[in-house]
Amino acid sequence: MSWFWIILGIIALFIIVKAVVIVKQYEGGLIFRLGKVIGKLKPGINIIIPFLDVPVKVDMRTRVTDIPPQEMITKDNAVVKVDAVVYYRVIDVEKALLEVEDYEYAIINLAQTTLRAIIGSMELDEVLNKREYINSKLLEILDRETDSWGVRIEKVEVKEIDPPEDIKNAMAQQMKAERLKRAAILEAEGEKQSRILKAQGIAESLRIEAEGQAKAIQIVAEAARQYFKDEAQLYKALEVTNNVLKDNAKYVISENILDVVKNLIKKDKSN
């Protein structure tokens, strides 16, 4: 008799456990009774009739699913391998469970066929350079098509676009040529700046030398006036000075130094 009550107690406990369904905060779900929806599961404790009611839970957090890489043909008949990732979440539990058998599997297949159609409408250069356009177009179509499944597509990202090997080699050669071109431009700019600085240095040196020559002319003229009293002796000294200066290339003042000094002396006398 005691075994009967023990077995009965175990059965009652089992029924009580089966009657209680705990739903987490991020979950939703439906209660099916004999195949018909009779209500929704809410976060917390839900009581059902064991063996008659079947609870089905759905994770309503944002989920991430990979779109497997597949080969696609572009508009100009180039074969590229493309894969992507889709971020989505269930926003309507009833549609997600009643309108589609497996919404995640359906999303993956829809994304593959849609991506294949988008790539097929573009040329290879566009596929390689317009990734943002592909993302936005794929997001727009997927979100529209999955609305009837109670699913919202939040984000779509193309992870990798793998062009044919010959295209890869051509791109590598182009990148190498671009790097060499930039290096040549930088080298030419450096050479140009070097020449400019060198020319500026020469110009500054000539300016300083010219100023020194002008100062030297004034000093020679002043010294000549102070030392020579006779004008013939003065001109003779100036000619000797000019010859000496011409012989020493480093200190050449001017081919017309004699005329310059004479003019300075005449101007001084007239004053």
Side-chain angles (χ1 to χ4, degrees), residues 97-116:
L97 292 176
L98 300 179
E99 299 298 330
V100 62
E101 181 181 0
D102 185 339
Y103 53 82
E104 182 170 349
Y105 180 74
I107 289 172
I108 292 174
N109 281 272
L110 179 61
Q112 285 181 320
T113 56
T114 304
L115 187 57
R116 190 180 296 113

Side-chain angles (χ1 to χ4, degrees), residues 36-260:
K36 183 180 179 180
V37 176
I38 63 166
K40 293 184 178 181
L41 293 171
K42 297 180 180 180
I45 297 177
N46 296 262
I47 305 299
I48 63 172
I49 300 176
F51 309 111
L52 291 180
D53 295 344
V54 178
V56 180
K57 299 179 185 179
V58 174
D59 192 328
M60 300 187 71
R61 294 175 293 182
T62 297
R63 302 184 67 180
V64 184
T65 185
D66 285 323
I67 308 302
Q70 57 180 333
E71 290 186 345
M72 305 177 187
I73 301 176
T74 63
K75 188 177 181 180
D76 51 353
N77 296 321
V79 179
V80 294
K81 185 178 288 186
V82 184
D83 64 345
V85 61
V86 177
Y87 298 80
Y88 71 93
R89 65 185 303 172
V90 175
I91 58 174
D92 190 322
V93 175
E94 191 167 348
K95 287 183 178 180
L97 292 176
L98 300 179
E99 299 298 330
V100 62
E101 181 181 0
D102 185 339
Y103 53 82
E104 182 170 349
Y105 180 74
I107 289 172
I108 292 174
N109 281 272
L110 179 61
Q112 285 181 320
T113 56
T114 304
L115 187 57
R116 190 180 296 113
I118 294 172
I119 298 298
S121 66
M122 302 171 65
E123 295 186 354
L124 179 61
D125 287 343
E126 293 177 315
V127 173
L128 296 175
N129 297 321
K130 294 185 177 181
R131 183 171 298 201
E132 289 300 324
Y133 168 79
I134 298 173
N135 291 339
S136 61
K137 191 68 176 177
L138 186 58
L139 174 62
E140 176 188 348
I141 297 174
L142 288 181
D143 193 43
R144 183 177 66 245
E145 296 297 327
T146 58
D147 185 61
S148 61
W149 303 341
V151 176
R152 174 181 296 163
I153 306 299
E154 296 183 333
K155 189 176 182 181
V156 178
E157 289 288 341
V158 173
K159 292 201 301 184
E160 186 175 0
I161 299 174
D162 191 12
E165 199 64 33
D166 56 338
I167 301 297
K168 286 183 182 179
N169 294 334
M171 292 171 63
Q173 292 294 332
Q174 183 179 2
M175 290 176 62
K176 182 178 179 180
E178 287 293 331
R179 287 195 296 267
L180 292 175
K181 179 181 176 182
R182 287 196 295 269
I185 291 174
L186 290 175
E187 184 178 357
E189 285 292 332
E191 183 68 21
K192 177 182 176 183
Q193 291 296 325
S194 175
R195 291 180 179 180
I196 290 173
L197 292 175
K198 184 176 180 180
Q200 289 176 344
I202 293 173
E204 182 66 16
S205 176
L206 291 175
R207 184 186 66 79
I208 294 173
E209 184 178 354
E211 290 178 353
Q213 290 177 355
K215 187 67 176 177
I217 291 173
Q218 292 179 355
I219 292 172
V220 170
E222 183 63 28
R225 283 198 301 269
Q226 294 295 328
Y227 186 79
F228 295 101
K229 304 302 182 181
D230 182 74
E231 188 172 345
Q233 290 180 343
L234 173 61
Y235 288 160
K236 182 64 176 176
L238 289 175
E239 289 177 358
V240 172
T241 302
N242 192 40
N243 291 333
V244 171
L245 290 173
K246 283 184 178 180
D247 290 339
N248 190 343
K250 186 177 180 181
Y251 297 100
V252 171
I253 296 176
S254 171
E255 292 183 359
N256 298 321
I257 187 172
L258 187 59
D259 294 334
V260 174

